[in-house]
Amino acid sequence: MSAPSPAPAYEIRVAEDPADREACFAVRKDVFVAEQNVPEDIEYDAYDAYDADAVHVLAVREDGVPLGTGRLLHGAAAAAKNGDGDLAVGSLGRLAVTAAARGLGVGAALVRAVEAAARARGLTAVDLHAQTHALGFYERLGYRAYGPEFPDAGIPHRAMRRAL
């Protein structure tokens, strides 16, 4: 029996500088626009500019290669996205992991980083809109689906929430 291979080294960090933000957008373009055919003009929105109501997180391999990204909206931005006006609930979105990094735990690490950012801002829960094929992934992380299935960018989604 051989020893398990070590987990690839990567870090998760808040994308505060312009280079990190560009890396986030590059991952999203690869995953959403190129792989999933989401129109580029709807993939990016007002919260992609520096915004006090958005926190972008980035997974980066030790050699600097970006592996994944995610975004937390909070405050009025999240309340509008979630549709219930609750300022104590954040909105996780734009979670994307490169094809080469899937299966390495990057997605779960990004979700946990978004949740940590939500806790740091005093939020009590996180909502998200999950592509239906990813429901099991989010359920394993403690999220529960609610409401009917709906299309977003032509892809079936369900709303999910996790109390923090």
Side-chain angles (χ1 to χ4, degrees), residues 12 57-59 68-70 95-97 105-115:
I12 308 288
V57 293
L58 176 66
T69 187
L95 185 75
V97 175
V106 173
L110 287 163
V111 170
R112 296 305 186 217
V114 166
E115 292 170 350

Side-chain angles (χ1 to χ4, degrees), residues 15-26 47-51 54-56 58:
E16 294 180 319
D17 68 51
D20 278 356
R21 286 286 182 101
E22 288 306 314
C24 291
F25 303 149
Y47 304 110
D48 288 329
Y50 179 78
D51 190 294
V55 178
H56 299 261
L58 176 66

Side-chain angles (χ1 to χ4, degrees), residues 59-118:
V60 182
R61 204 167 62 192
E62 63 186 353
D63 63 1
V65 172
L67 302 176
T69 187
R71 183 176 78 180
L72 170 70
L73 298 181
H74 55 92
K81 178 88 171 163
N82 297 335
D84 61 8
D86 189 342
L87 294 175
V89 178
S91 179
L92 186 161
R94 304 307 203 264
L95 185 75
V97 175
T98 62
R102 292 179 194 145
L104 303 178
V106 173
L110 287 163
V111 170
R112 296 305 186 217
V114 166
E115 292 170 350

